[in-house]
């Protein structure tokens, strides 16, 4: 549920999925498939994660949360969050909320602070 109590409209979610699928496809392709970038929904939040071989056991895989995007229906804007070492989410203060998810994805991709991709 959104802050307003209304679920995300299916058309909006479908359009958002297309943007995220393309982003994840490009990021995964750029690694030659060694690292998979994926996303998952929980209510009005989307978490971006990378899945890669575990260094200590290459046959095993680990998944690391990279960023989270939270949609506010009343504001019609997305807000970007980063995870600390304890997997707690914090607002990303270097960029304001935006109506376009692409703006936030570009910030995650550029990662000027090194907080998303390390």
């Amino acid at each position: 549920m959104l802050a307003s109590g209304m679920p995300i409209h299916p058309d909006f979610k479908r359009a958002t999925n297309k943007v995220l699928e393309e982003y994840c496809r490009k990021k995964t392709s750029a690694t030659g498939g060694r690292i998979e970038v994926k996303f998952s929904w929980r209510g009005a939040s989307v978490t971006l994660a990378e899945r890669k071989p575990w260094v200590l056991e290459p046959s095993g895989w680990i998944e690391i949360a990279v960023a989270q995007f939270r949609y506010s229906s009343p504001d019609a804007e997305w807000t970007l969050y980063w995870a600390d070492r304890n997997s707690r989410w914090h607002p990303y203060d270097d960029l304001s909320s935006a109506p376009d998810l692409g703006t936030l994805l570009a910030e995650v991709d550029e990662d000027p602070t090194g907080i998303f991709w390390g």
Side-chain angles (χ1 to χ4, degrees):
M1 295 299 237
L2 301 174
S4 66
M6 296 177 57
I8 290 182
H9 191 279
D11 291 341
F12 179 79
K13 189 170 183 177
R14 219 175 345 270
T16 301
N17 282 344
K18 285 183 182 182
V19 170
L20 289 164
E21 286 165 359
E22 179 65 15
Y23 178 85
C24 291
R25 187 190 61 74
K26 286 181 180 178
K27 291 295 280 184
T28 298
S29 179
T31 70
R34 293 184 317 273
I35 297 173
E36 177 186 358
V37 178
K38 54 190 255 175
F39 68 93
S40 60
W41 285 88
R42 182 171 182 198
S45 297
V46 179
T47 301
L48 190 65
E50 66 178 355
R51 187 174 177 267
K52 58 187 177 181
W54 187 28
V55 176
L56 298 177
E57 186 180 327
S59 64
W61 289 76
I62 60 170
E63 189 171 306
I64 301 166
V66 174
Q68 189 173 83
F69 311 95
R70 297 181 188 176
Y71 187 72
S72 169
S73 182
D75 301 327
E77 289 189 329
W78 291 96
T79 304
L80 178 58
Y81 287 76
W82 61 276
D84 65 19
R85 65 181 179 187
N86 297 312
S87 299
R88 291 189 198 114
W89 293 104
H90 304 276
Y92 180 72
D93 295 327
D94 291 358
L95 186 67
S96 299
S97 296
D100 177 28
L101 184 58
T103 301
L104 303 182
L105 284 168
E107 183 76 6
V108 170
D109 204 35
E110 186 179 320
D111 196 11
T113 62
I115 206 163
F116 299 111
W117 302 104

